[in-house]
């Protein structure tokens, strides 16, 4: 009898199935105003070993205890707070974030090399004081995927094209010792060429074929993004706004496995 996607998801091949591996590269954002609403989605995703991304809206509402709850439930957590401040402040913020046990957090590359290095220093300090912790993947935001060429040039005041700016920020992040960057999937190949294939790319702006673009300007399908070298795919509304979020997530994971 033919397997369902969920049965295949959990069938062991060696240590881990390809579907489990790809599920671990899928990041689902919990863009909700409070923990109660987020838990409704989390319960529907039970058993899918995906990353959960907690952004500013939910973190400011639910706080550190919610991060600890997600870790207790076995999820990998990307705390998406995009720190951008003087190095000393970012150093302290990174230390506090690392103490929560998150697996990834981010800073803005436009804060400069000293600020990005300070984030690493803060994480290292937390681990030195609490050896049971690990240093999270620390990544830098290059240009938001909602930023078009026109906005970057005309409103933000950065000359040149988007890809050149993204690659320049990626190189700066690599020089600062960070583990990777957030960028659109359209820039993944150029980032890998500039910084090496192990330099992590986290790519929002992922939309299955036929899905609404919403407020994203630079997008790709999940399969296209994997082929371009993206390490982690952030997929929000195509899952969270779907009539059946679990089925939508599994369908995207299935597409990722076909690459």
């Amino acid at each position: 009898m033919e397997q369902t996607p969920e049965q295949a998801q959990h069938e062991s091949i060696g240590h881990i199935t390809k579907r489990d591996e790809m599920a671990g590269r899928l990041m689902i954002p919990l863009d909700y105003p409070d923990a109660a609403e987020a838990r409704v989605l989390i319960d529907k995703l039970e058993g899918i070993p995906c990353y959960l991304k907690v952004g500013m809206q939910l973190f400011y509402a639910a706080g550190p205890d919610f991060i600890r709850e997600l870790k207790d439930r076995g999820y990998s957590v990307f705390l998406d707070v995009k720190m951008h401040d003087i190095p000393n402040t970012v150093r302290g913020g990174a230390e506090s974030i690392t103490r929560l046990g998150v697996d990834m957090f981010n800073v803005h590359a436009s804060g400069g090399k000293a600020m990005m290095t300070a984030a690493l220093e803060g994480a290292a300090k937390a681990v030195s004081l609490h050896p049971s912790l690990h240093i999270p993947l620390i990544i830098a935001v290059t240009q938001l995927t909602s930023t078009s060429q026109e906005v970057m040039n005309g409103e933000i005041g950065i000359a040149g094209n988007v890809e050149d700016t993204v690659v320049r920020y990626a190189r700066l992040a690599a020089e600062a010792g960070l583990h990777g960057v957030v960028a659109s999937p359209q820039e993944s190949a150029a980032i890998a060429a500039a910084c090496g294939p192990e330099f992590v790319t986290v790519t929002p702006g992922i939309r299955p074929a036929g899905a609404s673009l919403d407020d994203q300007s630079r997008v790709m399908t999940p399969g296209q993004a994997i082929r371009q070298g993206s390490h982690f795919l952030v997929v929000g509304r195509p899952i969270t706004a779907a009539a059946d979020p679990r089925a939508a997530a599994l369908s995207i994971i299935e597409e990722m496995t076909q690459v």
Side-chain angles (χ1 to χ4, degrees):
M1 183 170 61
E2 185 176 325
Q3 287 181 316
T4 67
E6 288 195 17
Q7 288 170 332
Q9 175 86 11
H10 297 291
E11 181 184 10
S12 176
I13 302 174
H15 294 293
I16 187 171
T17 67
K18 186 173 183 182
R19 287 180 177 82
D20 282 343
E21 177 195 349
M22 290 300 173
R25 295 172 63 179
L26 173 64
M27 293 182 162
I28 300 177
L30 301 178
D31 293 333
Y32 297 100
D34 56 53
E37 289 196 35
R39 290 188 190 106
V40 173
L41 175 68
I42 295 167
D43 289 343
K44 293 176 181 177
L45 300 173
E46 188 71 35
I48 300 177
C50 58
Y51 246 91
L52 294 179
K53 185 173 80 72
V54 178
M56 287 180 276
Q57 181 185 24
L58 182 56
F59 186 62
Y60 294 161
D65 284 344
F66 184 68
I67 302 299
R68 297 186 185 100
E69 176 185 332
L70 295 180
K71 292 303 301 176
D72 287 343
R73 293 181 70 160
Y75 284 103
S76 296
V77 176
F78 171 20
L79 186 54
D80 181 17
V81 290
K82 300 181 179 72
M83 289 193 291
H84 189 172
D85 214 311
I86 62 172
N88 191 55
T89 298
V90 169
R91 184 181 295 109
E95 180 181 351
S96 296
I97 286 172
T98 301
R99 286 181 178 177
L100 294 176
V102 303
D103 302 276
M104 181 185 294
F105 71 88
N106 56 2
V107 300
H108 268 288
S110 57
K113 189 189 298 186
M115 188 205 77
M116 288 189 278
T117 300
L120 279 169
E121 294 168 351
K125 182 179 178 182
V127 172
S128 71
L129 295 173
H130 304 276
S132 62
L133 296 172
H134 64 278
I135 292 182
L137 292 173
I138 306 174
I139 60 175
V141 177
T142 54
Q143 283 294 318
L144 300 175
T145 51
S146 58
T147 302
S148 65
Q149 180 80 39
E150 293 73 23
V151 168
M152 191 186 80
N153 296 155
E155 297 181 17
I156 301 175
I158 298 175
N161 63 52
V162 171
E163 182 174 301
D164 289 345
T165 299
V166 168
V167 171
R168 177 167 54 84
Y169 276 145
R171 286 198 179 104
L172 190 66
E175 291 170 9
L178 266 58
H179 304 102
V181 290
V182 182
S184 94
Q186 295 177 359
E187 289 102 37
S188 293
I191 291 167
C195 303
E198 301 305 314
F199 192 68
V200 172
T201 50
V202 177
T203 54
I206 305 299
R207 292 290 184 270
S212 169
L213 297 184
D214 299 307
D215 56 0
Q216 302 290 343
S217 294
R218 308 193 316 278
V219 301
M220 278 189 185
T221 68
Q224 290 170 333
I226 293 291
R227 290 186 189 94
Q228 287 295 310
S230 296
H231 294 84
F232 295 97
L233 311 187
V234 181
V235 185
R237 281 162 284 194
I239 294 174
T240 60
D244 186 342
R246 183 181 191 84
L250 290 171
S251 176
I252 288 169
I253 292 167
E254 181 65 23
E255 180 180 343
M256 293 166 69
T257 67
Q258 301 307 309
V259 176

